Amino acid sequence: DGGITQSPKYLFRKEGQNVTLSCEQNLNHDAMYWYRQDPGQGLRLIYYSQIVNDFQKGDIAEGYSVSREKKESFPLTVTSAQKNPTAFYLCASTPDRDKYQPQHFGDGTRLSIL
Amino acid sequence: AQSVTQPDIHITVSEGASLELRCNYSYGATPYLFWYVQSPGQGLQLLLKYFSGDTLVQGIKGFEAEFKRSQSSFNLRKPSVHWSDAAEYFCAVGAGTGRRALTFGSGTRLQVQP
């Protein structure tokens, strides 16, 4: 079955460390998104990519970086510049980059600080 | 920019009772509207969507939602709640040009009493 796979499910970061969250999709979707979820705040957009080798900042991009070298992969790096990284991170995708469509979500990665 | 308000942070209903979750959006034209459900530690699952046409839309798991332009609302309803409906529910809006990411409300947590 097609879907989005996020790994790892749980991740721990030490002070000053960069960590990378994986997001892979086999849906052949053009667009991919990263959201951060904090209790009581819903989902906030970190970065999005509408096509390979291109990505754009979302609303809370500071302290994060991404790449989109392959259509199926959109990894997110949480850098040491992100001072409050503890959150639930969700990756999503949509088939077309130029339409509003339902987003398909992975099962998320929970990041905590050691 | 568009915004989404879910006024109820937490709702408790008895099993078998009816349910209505409120969602209001702020946008000049008719946006694309979505309802998602999230179980603890999981990603989001699409319940239903509204793009155009009939203002009463049916979704999965017995849910429906009604788009009311005059009230800028898209409330989610279910006639008889089951214990398995306990989860967090998010309303989302897609509107405007440019990026196609959705704007999410802060969520409503539903608790179901036996």
Side-chain angles (χ1 to χ4, degrees):
Chain A
D1 285 340
I4 297 179
T5 300
Q6 290 188 243
S7 62
K9 191 168 180 66
Y10 300 96
L11 187 58
F12 298 91
R13 194 191 89 169
K14 296 179 181 178
E15 292 290 338
Q17 185 182 44
N18 294 352
V19 292
T20 297
L21 285 61
S22 171
C23 177
E24 302 278 332
Q25 55 102 354
N26 60 3
L27 299 165
N28 199 34
H29 284 180
D30 280 340
M32 298 185 74
Y33 310 83
W34 273 107
Y35 292 93
R36 171 178 171 142
Q37 185 178 18
D38 296 280
Q41 294 194 45
L43 279 68
R44 293 182 290 167
L45 182 67
I46 305 173
Y47 268 98
Y48 64 102
S49 169
Q50 295 179 305
I51 196 170
V52 175
N53 293 322
D54 185 57
F55 50 83
Q56 305 295 328
K57 292 182 179 179
D59 301 319
I60 56 165
E62 185 174 350
Y64 301 96
S65 66
V66 294
S67 63
R68 186 89 186 276
E69 296 176 2
K70 298 185 298 182
K71 186 175 185 177
E72 59 269 25
S73 179
F74 191 40
L76 173 73
T77 296
V78 183
T79 74
S80 57
Q82 173 50 244
K83 298 306 179 188
N84 183 24
T86 298
F88 192 52
Y89 291 86
L90 287 161
C91 180
S93 70
T94 53
D96 299 307
R97 61 180 179 267
D98 56 357
K99 297 179 184 178
Y100 281 110
Q101 296 165 314
Q103 295 189 347
H104 297 254
F105 283 87
D107 284 338
T109 292
R110 186 165 299 281
L111 176 61
S112 302
I113 296 296
L114 281 178
Chain B
Q2 66 270 21
S3 64
V4 183
T5 302
Q6 293 182 246
D8 304 305
I9 297 172
H10 189 199
I11 284 182
T12 300
V13 300
S14 299
E15 191 167 16
S18 63
L19 171 70
E20 183 169 27
L21 302 181
R22 297 183 290 166
C23 173
N24 293 95
Y25 65 89
S26 172
Y27 184 63
T30 299
Y32 298 90
L33 297 160
F34 308 83
W35 273 101
Y36 285 87
V37 61
Q38 183 183 36
S39 297
Q42 301 293 315
L44 276 66
Q45 180 184 21
L46 178 71
L47 286 175
L48 46 79
K49 63 183 186 290
Y50 175 77
F51 285 4
S52 65
D54 192 349
T55 57
L56 184 64
V57 294
Q58 302 297 319
I60 62 171
K61 304 185 180 187
F63 286 93
E64 66 178 26
E66 186 171 13
F67 168 61
K68 293 186 177 180
R69 186 191 309 274
S70 61
Q71 299 177 17
S72 296
S73 69
F74 188 56
N75 294 349
L76 182 71
R77 301 194 295 246
K78 186 169 186 178
S80 177
V81 170
H82 188 262
W83 64 267
S84 60
D85 293 324
E88 189 150 23
Y89 292 80
F90 292 93
C91 182
V93 167
T97 59
R99 75 188 200 189
R100 300 304 184 196
L102 303 182
T103 300
F104 286 83
S106 55
T108 297
R109 180 164 299 278
L110 174 65
Q111 188 174 355
V112 180
Q113 287 182 333

